[in-house]
Amino acid sequence: VHGLGFSRDGRQLLAVSVTSNAAQIIDTQTNTVVRTLRTGRAPHEGFISPDGETTWVAIRSENFVEIFNTDTGSSYYRAYHSH
């Protein structure tokens, strides 16, 4: 695990794994993985938005932030960093 982030209410934990190119959302009440987000290569850090609707993950090796729908796990936007 490379990065961890809790939802505002503490019910979900985002665990970012740089080696598996994924981030997992864990239900903290049951300690079970409820969603796996397939990210770009080498995800670095992430967080769940205050309203819980989106999950943001920084993809360090590809210079973008990937934004996911927290409920469905689908990626719907990549914000690229320009040099």
Side-chain angles (χ1 to χ4, degrees):
V1 173
H2 194 272
L4 296 170
F6 283 94
S7 61
R8 178 176 269 177
D9 62 10
R11 293 182 179 183
Q12 294 179 319
L13 171 66
L14 178 67
V16 178
S17 174
V18 70
T19 57
S20 67
N21 297 330
Q24 295 183 313
I25 298 174
I26 300 165
D27 181 317
T28 59
Q29 303 293 309
T30 62
N31 290 325
T32 57
V33 174
V34 294
R35 184 110 36 257
T36 297
L37 311 173
R38 298 292 171 201
T39 67
R41 195 181 51 158
H44 188 65
E45 295 289 337
F47 68 91
I48 299 170
S49 65
D51 63 9
E53 292 184 13
T54 57
T55 299
W56 298 53
V57 180
I59 312 302
R60 181 171 61 180
S61 68
E62 299 180 57
N63 293 323
F64 65 85
V65 173
E66 191 158 12
I67 304 168
F68 295 87
N69 178 302
T70 302
D71 289 335
T72 66
S74 63
S75 171
Y76 66 89
Y77 189 75
R78 287 182 173 182
Y80 286 88
H81 177 269
S82 61
H83 295 279

